[in-house]
mmCIF file of all heavy atoms in Angstrom:
data_model
loop_
_atom_site.group_PDB
_atom_site.id
_atom_site.type_symbol
_atom_site.label_atom_id
_atom_site.label_comp_id
_atom_site.label_asym_id
_atom_site.label_seq_id
_atom_site.Cartn_x
_atom_site.Cartn_y
_atom_site.Cartn_z
ATOM 1 N N VAL M 164 46.508 66.487 -37.467
ATOM 2 C CA VAL M 164 47.860 66.509 -38.014
ATOM 3 C C VAL M 164 48.635 67.624 -37.334
ATOM 4 O O VAL M 164 48.123 68.738 -37.151
ATOM 5 C CB VAL M 164 47.834 66.725 -39.547
ATOM 6 C CG1 VAL M 164 49.223 66.994 -40.085
ATOM 7 C CG2 VAL M 164 47.235 65.499 -40.228
ATOM 8 N N ALA M 165 49.870 67.324 -36.944
ATOM 9 C CA ALA M 165 50.682 68.309 -36.247
ATOM 10 C C ALA M 165 52.087 68.354 -36.838
ATOM 11 O O ALA M 165 52.535 67.410 -37.492
ATOM 12 C CB ALA M 165 50.758 67.972 -34.753
ATOM 13 N N THR M 166 52.757 69.461 -36.604
ATOM 14 C CA THR M 166 54.165 69.613 -36.963
ATOM 15 C C THR M 166 54.933 70.034 -35.722
ATOM 16 O O THR M 166 54.502 70.925 -34.990
ATOM 17 C CB THR M 166 54.352 70.683 -38.062
ATOM 18 O OG1 THR M 166 53.815 71.934 -37.610
ATOM 19 C CG2 THR M 166 53.647 70.280 -39.342
ATOM 20 N N GLU M 167 55.997 69.353 -35.446
ATOM 21 C CA GLU M 167 56.969 69.657 -34.388
ATOM 22 C C GLU M 167 56.548 69.270 -32.973
ATOM 23 O O GLU M 167 57.383 68.871 -32.182
ATOM 24 C CB GLU M 167 57.385 71.132 -34.416
ATOM 25 C CG GLU M 167 58.102 71.516 -35.701
ATOM 26 C CD GLU M 167 58.638 72.935 -35.656
ATOM 27 O OE1 GLU M 167 58.353 73.669 -34.682
ATOM 28 O OE2 GLU M 167 59.330 73.312 -36.609
ATOM 29 N N ARG M 168 55.257 69.369 -32.624
ATOM 30 C CA ARG M 168 54.867 68.940 -31.276
ATOM 31 C C ARG M 168 53.371 68.679 -31.209
ATOM 32 O O ARG M 168 52.589 69.238 -31.976
ATOM 33 C CB ARG M 168 55.269 69.956 -30.213
ATOM 34 C CG ARG M 168 54.559 71.279 -30.259
ATOM 35 C CD ARG M 168 55.078 72.203 -29.162
ATOM 36 N NE ARG M 168 54.954 71.596 -27.846
ATOM 37 C CZ ARG M 168 55.756 71.885 -26.826
ATOM 38 N NH1 ARG M 168 56.756 72.746 -26.976
ATOM 39 N NH2 ARG M 168 55.580 71.302 -25.658
ATOM 40 N N ALA M 169 52.989 67.813 -30.265
ATOM 41 C CA ALA M 169 51.579 67.524 -30.024
ATOM 42 C C ALA M 169 51.390 67.212 -28.552
ATOM 43 O O ALA M 169 52.248 66.563 -27.930
ATOM 44 C CB ALA M 169 51.105 66.350 -30.875
ATOM 45 N N THR M 170 50.287 67.678 -28.002
ATOM 46 C CA THR M 170 49.890 67.365 -26.626
ATOM 47 C C THR M 170 48.615 66.545 -26.683
ATOM 48 O O THR M 170 47.654 66.931 -27.357
ATOM 49 C CB THR M 170 49.653 68.647 -25.815
ATOM 50 O OG1 THR M 170 50.863 69.416 -25.779
ATOM 51 C CG2 THR M 170 49.232 68.316 -24.389
ATOM 52 N N ILE M 171 48.610 65.423 -25.990
ATOM 53 C CA ILE M 171 47.438 64.547 -25.963
ATOM 54 C C ILE M 171 46.922 64.512 -24.536
ATOM 55 O O ILE M 171 47.651 64.151 -23.609
ATOM 56 C CB ILE M 171 47.779 63.111 -26.437
ATOM 57 C CG1 ILE M 171 48.407 63.151 -27.831
ATOM 58 C CG2 ILE M 171 46.529 62.242 -26.449
ATOM 59 C CD1 ILE M 171 49.911 63.005 -27.840
ATOM 60 N N ARG M 172 45.667 64.888 -24.362
ATOM 61 C CA ARG M 172 45.027 64.885 -23.039
ATOM 62 C C ARG M 172 43.948 63.815 -23.009
ATOM 63 O O ARG M 172 43.077 63.786 -23.872
ATOM 64 C CB ARG M 172 44.437 66.254 -22.723
ATOM 65 C CG ARG M 172 45.481 67.351 -22.557
ATOM 66 C CD ARG M 172 44.842 68.703 -22.299
ATOM 67 N NE ARG M 172 45.840 69.729 -22.027
ATOM 68 C CZ ARG M 172 46.481 70.428 -22.966
ATOM 69 N NH1 ARG M 172 46.221 70.188 -24.250
ATOM 70 N NH2 ARG M 172 47.364 71.342 -22.627
ATOM 71 N N GLY M 173 44.024 62.946 -22.009
ATOM 72 C CA GLY M 173 43.049 61.864 -21.929
ATOM 73 C C GLY M 173 43.145 61.158 -20.597
ATOM 74 O O GLY M 173 43.305 61.799 -19.555
ATOM 75 N N GLU M 174 43.080 59.845 -20.628
ATOM 76 C CA GLU M 174 43.132 59.027 -19.425
ATOM 77 C C GLU M 174 44.244 57.995 -19.556
ATOM 78 O O GLU M 174 44.635 57.617 -20.667
ATOM 79 C CB GLU M 174 41.793 58.308 -19.206
ATOM 80 C CG GLU M 174 40.607 59.234 -18.999
ATOM 81 C CD GLU M 174 40.697 60.065 -17.730
ATOM 82 O OE1 GLU M 174 41.334 59.573 -16.753
ATOM 83 O OE2 GLU M 174 40.139 61.185 -17.705
ATOM 84 N N ILE M 175 44.752 57.564 -18.414
ATOM 85 C CA ILE M 175 45.773 56.516 -18.406
ATOM 86 C C ILE M 175 45.215 55.271 -19.109
ATOM 87 O O ILE M 175 44.098 54.833 -18.836
ATOM 88 C CB ILE M 175 46.191 56.183 -16.966
ATOM 89 C CG1 ILE M 175 46.873 57.387 -16.304
ATOM 90 C CG2 ILE M 175 47.107 54.965 -16.927
ATOM 91 C CD1 ILE M 175 47.129 57.233 -14.819
ATOM 92 N N GLY M 176 45.990 54.729 -20.026
ATOM 93 C CA GLY M 176 45.570 53.557 -20.781
ATOM 94 C C GLY M 176 44.968 53.854 -22.136
ATOM 95 O O GLY M 176 44.774 52.931 -22.942
ATOM 96 N N ASP M 177 44.661 55.128 -22.416
ATOM 97 C CA ASP M 177 44.171 55.471 -23.752
ATOM 98 C C ASP M 177 45.220 55.122 -24.802
ATOM 99 O O ASP M 177 46.430 55.177 -24.557
ATOM 100 C CB ASP M 177 43.877 56.976 -23.847
ATOM 101 C CG ASP M 177 42.580 57.379 -23.167
ATOM 102 O OD1 ASP M 177 41.889 56.502 -22.611
ATOM 103 O OD2 ASP M 177 42.259 58.580 -23.190
ATOM 104 N N THR M 178 44.757 54.779 -25.995
ATOM 105 C CA THR M 178 45.649 54.444 -27.101
ATOM 106 C C THR M 178 46.008 55.689 -27.896
ATOM 107 O O THR M 178 45.150 56.519 -28.190
ATOM 108 C CB THR M 178 44.988 53.408 -28.025
ATOM 109 O OG1 THR M 178 44.775 52.203 -27.287
ATOM 110 C CG2 THR M 178 45.870 53.101 -29.234
ATOM 111 N N VAL M 179 47.277 55.811 -28.253
ATOM 112 C CA VAL M 179 47.757 56.899 -29.099
ATOM 113 C C VAL M 179 48.569 56.292 -30.238
ATOM 114 O O VAL M 179 49.477 55.491 -29.997
ATOM 115 C CB VAL M 179 48.625 57.897 -28.312
ATOM 116 C CG1 VAL M 179 49.245 58.925 -29.245
ATOM 117 C CG2 VAL M 179 47.809 58.589 -27.225
ATOM 118 N N SER M 180 48.247 56.663 -31.461
ATOM 119 C CA SER M 180 49.021 56.229 -32.623
ATOM 120 C C SER M 180 49.617 57.436 -33.320
ATOM 121 O O SER M 180 48.951 58.473 -33.472
ATOM 122 C CB SER M 180 48.134 55.446 -33.602
ATOM 123 O OG SER M 180 47.763 54.202 -33.049
ATOM 124 N N LEU M 181 50.875 57.304 -33.716
ATOM 125 C CA LEU M 181 51.597 58.358 -34.432
ATOM 126 C C LEU M 181 51.912 57.829 -35.821
ATOM 127 O O LEU M 181 52.689 56.885 -35.975
ATOM 128 C CB LEU M 181 52.881 58.718 -33.684
ATOM 129 C CG LEU M 181 52.724 59.120 -32.215
ATOM 130 C CD1 LEU M 181 54.085 59.318 -31.569
ATOM 131 C CD2 LEU M 181 51.879 60.380 -32.078
ATOM 132 N N ILE M 182 51.304 58.418 -36.834
ATOM 133 C CA ILE M 182 51.412 57.919 -38.203
ATOM 134 C C ILE M 182 52.068 58.986 -39.069
ATOM 135 O O ILE M 182 51.510 60.072 -39.247
ATOM 136 C CB ILE M 182 50.020 57.556 -38.751
ATOM 137 C CG1 ILE M 182 49.375 56.488 -37.848
ATOM 138 C CG2 ILE M 182 50.119 57.076 -40.190
ATOM 139 C CD1 ILE M 182 47.934 56.199 -38.174
ATOM 140 N N PRO M 183 53.270 58.740 -39.593
ATOM 141 C CA PRO M 183 53.961 59.750 -40.404
ATOM 142 C C PRO M 183 53.291 59.937 -41.760
ATOM 143 O O PRO M 183 52.995 58.961 -42.463
ATOM 144 C CB PRO M 183 55.378 59.181 -40.552
ATOM 145 C CG PRO M 183 55.215 57.706 -40.378
ATOM 146 C CD PRO M 183 54.067 57.506 -39.452
ATOM 147 N N LEU M 184 53.070 61.188 -42.127
ATOM 148 C CA LEU M 184 52.531 61.510 -43.445
ATOM 149 C C LEU M 184 53.638 61.905 -44.418
ATOM 150 O O LEU M 184 53.466 61.774 -45.629
ATOM 151 C CB LEU M 184 51.492 62.631 -43.343
ATOM 152 C CG LEU M 184 50.244 62.316 -42.497
ATOM 153 C CD1 LEU M 184 49.268 63.474 -42.554
ATOM 154 C CD2 LEU M 184 49.567 61.020 -42.957
ATOM 155 N N ASP M 185 54.749 62.407 -43.905
ATOM 156 C CA ASP M 185 55.909 62.659 -44.747
ATOM 157 C C ASP M 185 56.706 61.363 -44.914
ATOM 158 O O ASP M 185 56.501 60.386 -44.179
ATOM 159 C CB ASP M 185 56.798 63.736 -44.126
ATOM 160 C CG ASP M 185 56.269 65.133 -44.393
ATOM 161 O OD1 ASP M 185 56.016 65.450 -45.568
ATOM 162 O OD2 ASP M 185 56.103 65.903 -43.434
ATOM 163 N N VAL M 186 57.634 61.369 -45.861
ATOM 164 C CA VAL M 186 58.463 60.178 -46.083
ATOM 165 C C VAL M 186 59.176 59.785 -44.806
ATOM 166 O O VAL M 186 59.243 58.605 -44.444
ATOM 167 C CB VAL M 186 59.473 60.433 -47.221
ATOM 168 C CG1 VAL M 186 60.436 59.258 -47.353
ATOM 169 C CG2 VAL M 186 58.744 60.654 -48.536
ATOM 170 N N GLN M 187 59.687 60.775 -44.077
ATOM 171 C CA GLN M 187 60.292 60.534 -42.767
ATOM 172 C C GLN M 187 59.906 61.661 -41.817
ATOM 173 O O GLN M 187 59.869 62.829 -42.219
ATOM 174 C CB GLN M 187 61.813 60.456 -42.871
ATOM 175 C CG GLN M 187 62.330 59.208 -43.558
ATOM 176 C CD GLN M 187 63.838 59.091 -43.444
ATOM 177 O OE1 GLN M 187 64.553 60.088 -43.470
ATOM 178 N NE2 GLN M 187 64.339 57.868 -43.315
ATOM 179 N N VAL M 188 59.630 61.299 -40.590
ATOM 180 C CA VAL M 188 59.452 62.271 -39.510
ATOM 181 C C VAL M 188 60.557 61.977 -38.509
ATOM 182 O O VAL M 188 60.616 60.887 -37.933
ATOM 183 C CB VAL M 188 58.061 62.163 -38.867
ATOM 184 C CG1 VAL M 188 57.931 63.149 -37.717
ATOM 185 C CG2 VAL M 188 56.967 62.419 -39.902
ATOM 186 N N GLU M 189 61.436 62.958 -38.318
ATOM 187 C CA GLU M 189 62.696 62.722 -37.608
ATOM 188 C C GLU M 189 62.717 63.358 -36.222
ATOM 189 O O GLU M 189 62.021 64.332 -35.956
ATOM 190 C CB GLU M 189 63.847 63.289 -38.441
ATOM 191 C CG GLU M 189 63.966 62.656 -39.827
ATOM 192 C CD GLU M 189 65.011 63.321 -40.693
ATOM 193 O OE1 GLU M 189 65.157 64.561 -40.607
ATOM 194 O OE2 GLU M 189 65.685 62.604 -41.445
ATOM 195 N N GLY M 190 63.553 62.780 -35.385
ATOM 196 C CA GLY M 190 63.816 63.342 -34.062
ATOM 197 C C GLY M 190 62.645 63.272 -33.109
ATOM 198 O O GLY M 190 62.454 64.164 -32.282
ATOM 199 N N ILE M 191 61.875 62.194 -33.163
ATOM 200 C CA ILE M 191 60.667 62.086 -32.336
ATOM 201 C C ILE M 191 61.037 61.711 -30.903
ATOM 202 O O ILE M 191 61.745 60.738 -30.649
ATOM 203 C CB ILE M 191 59.704 61.040 -32.911
ATOM 204 C CG1 ILE M 191 59.325 61.385 -34.356
ATOM 205 C CG2 ILE M 191 58.446 60.931 -32.047
ATOM 206 C CD1 ILE M 191 58.528 60.309 -35.054
ATOM 207 N N VAL M 192 60.521 62.510 -29.972
ATOM 208 C CA VAL M 192 60.713 62.267 -28.538
ATOM 209 C C VAL M 192 59.338 62.256 -27.883
ATOM 210 O O VAL M 192 58.560 63.202 -28.052
ATOM 211 C CB VAL M 192 61.591 63.348 -27.891
ATOM 212 C CG1 VAL M 192 61.707 63.106 -26.384
ATOM 213 C CG2 VAL M 192 62.974 63.377 -28.535
ATOM 214 N N THR M 193 59.016 61.198 -27.165
ATOM 215 C CA THR M 193 57.724 61.088 -26.489
ATOM 216 C C THR M 193 57.896 61.166 -24.983
ATOM 217 O O THR M 193 58.938 60.785 -24.435
ATOM 218 C CB THR M 193 57.019 59.766 -26.843
ATOM 219 O OG1 THR M 193 57.828 58.668 -26.400
ATOM 220 C CG2 THR M 193 56.784 59.663 -28.349
ATOM 221 N N ASP M 194 56.864 61.644 -24.322
ATOM 222 C CA ASP M 194 56.837 61.706 -22.858
ATOM 223 C C ASP M 194 55.490 61.192 -22.384
ATOM 224 O O ASP M 194 54.442 61.608 -22.890
ATOM 225 C CB ASP M 194 57.053 63.147 -22.380
ATOM 226 C CG ASP M 194 57.084 63.257 -20.871
ATOM 227 O OD1 ASP M 194 57.782 62.457 -20.218
ATOM 228 O OD2 ASP M 194 56.382 64.140 -20.335
ATOM 229 N N GLN M 195 55.506 60.256 -21.436
ATOM 230 C CA GLN M 195 54.307 59.658 -20.849
ATOM 231 C C GLN M 195 53.552 58.748 -21.826
ATOM 232 O O GLN M 195 52.336 58.615 -21.751
ATOM 233 C CB GLN M 195 53.371 60.727 -20.274
ATOM 234 C CG GLN M 195 53.951 61.549 -19.149
ATOM 235 C CD GLN M 195 54.367 60.703 -17.940
ATOM 236 O OE1 GLN M 195 53.790 59.660 -17.671
ATOM 237 N NE2 GLN M 195 55.373 61.164 -17.201
ATOM 238 N N LEU M 196 54.313 58.108 -22.717
ATOM 239 C CA LEU M 196 53.769 57.021 -23.523
ATOM 240 C C LEU M 196 54.511 55.736 -23.179
ATOM 241 O O LEU M 196 55.716 55.752 -22.914
ATOM 242 C CB LEU M 196 53.893 57.318 -25.017
ATOM 243 C CG LEU M 196 53.008 58.448 -25.553
ATOM 244 C CD1 LEU M 196 53.248 58.661 -27.047
ATOM 245 C CD2 LEU M 196 51.524 58.179 -25.295
ATOM 246 N N GLN M 197 53.810 54.617 -23.186
ATOM 247 C CA GLN M 197 54.363 53.350 -22.695
ATOM 248 C C GLN M 197 55.582 52.892 -23.489
ATOM 249 O O GLN M 197 56.546 52.369 -22.917
ATOM 250 C CB GLN M 197 53.269 52.271 -22.742
ATOM 251 C CG GLN M 197 53.721 50.923 -22.193
ATOM 252 C CD GLN M 197 52.586 49.921 -22.150
ATOM 253 O OE1 GLN M 197 51.456 50.230 -22.501
ATOM 254 N NE2 GLN M 197 52.888 48.704 -21.716
ATOM 255 N N TYR M 198 55.546 53.061 -24.802
ATOM 256 C CA TYR M 198 56.664 52.645 -25.642
ATOM 257 C C TYR M 198 57.353 53.909 -26.149
ATOM 258 O O TYR M 198 56.909 54.527 -27.121
ATOM 259 C CB TYR M 198 56.163 51.784 -26.807
ATOM 260 C CG TYR M 198 55.300 50.632 -26.341
ATOM 261 C CD1 TYR M 198 53.933 50.629 -26.579
ATOM 262 C CD2 TYR M 198 55.860 49.559 -25.640
ATOM 263 C CE1 TYR M 198 53.133 49.585 -26.143
ATOM 264 C CE2 TYR M 198 55.070 48.507 -25.193
ATOM 265 C CZ TYR M 198 53.706 48.523 -25.451
ATOM 266 O OH TYR M 198 52.925 47.487 -25.007
ATOM 267 N N PRO M 199 58.424 54.314 -25.491
ATOM 268 C CA PRO M 199 59.007 55.633 -25.760
ATOM 269 C C PRO M 199 59.792 55.684 -27.068
ATOM 270 O O PRO M 199 60.351 54.685 -27.526
ATOM 271 C CB PRO M 199 59.932 55.854 -24.562
ATOM 272 C CG PRO M 199 60.324 54.479 -24.119
ATOM 273 C CD PRO M 199 59.122 53.622 -24.377
ATOM 274 N N LEU M 200 59.811 56.859 -27.638
ATOM 275 C CA LEU M 200 60.702 57.180 -28.744
ATOM 276 C C LEU M 200 61.659 58.244 -28.239
ATOM 277 O O LEU M 200 61.246 59.214 -27.595
ATOM 278 C CB LEU M 200 59.922 57.686 -29.953
ATOM 279 C CG LEU M 200 58.957 56.684 -30.599
ATOM 280 C CD1 LEU M 200 58.114 57.379 -31.651
ATOM 281 C CD2 LEU M 200 59.707 55.514 -31.200
ATOM 282 N N ARG M 201 62.943 58.083 -28.541
ATOM 283 C CA ARG M 201 63.971 58.971 -28.012
ATOM 284 C C ARG M 201 64.817 59.509 -29.172
ATOM 285 O O ARG M 201 65.861 58.965 -29.496
ATOM 286 C CB ARG M 201 64.851 58.225 -26.998
ATOM 287 C CG ARG M 201 64.085 57.789 -25.752
ATOM 288 C CD ARG M 201 63.753 58.998 -24.873
ATOM 289 N NE ARG M 201 63.016 58.637 -23.682
ATOM 290 C CZ ARG M 201 61.706 58.805 -23.519
ATOM 291 N NH1 ARG M 201 60.988 59.314 -24.516
ATOM 292 N NH2 ARG M 201 61.111 58.462 -22.397
#
């Protein structure tokens, strides 16, 4: 579980899931993920 930022180290093609634990997690920006959030 992280707040404000997370770094994921792995291999190209690995799966990453982002699951909100609060009612809303706002302002999410992703880098180097196939389906970007801006």
Side-chain angles (χ1 to χ4, degrees):
V164 170
T166 58
E167 297 186 354
R168 67 181 304 152
T170 300
I171 304 101
R172 294 178 175 85
E174 298 295 331
I175 295 171
D177 283 0
T178 297
V179 173
S180 291
L181 305 175
I182 301 172
L184 298 184
D185 280 308
V186 174
Q187 289 189 325
V188 178
E189 300 174 324
I191 303 172
V192 177
T193 62
D194 182 47
Q195 298 300 330
L196 291 179
Q197 183 175 359
Y198 308 109
L200 296 172
R201 295 288 179 258

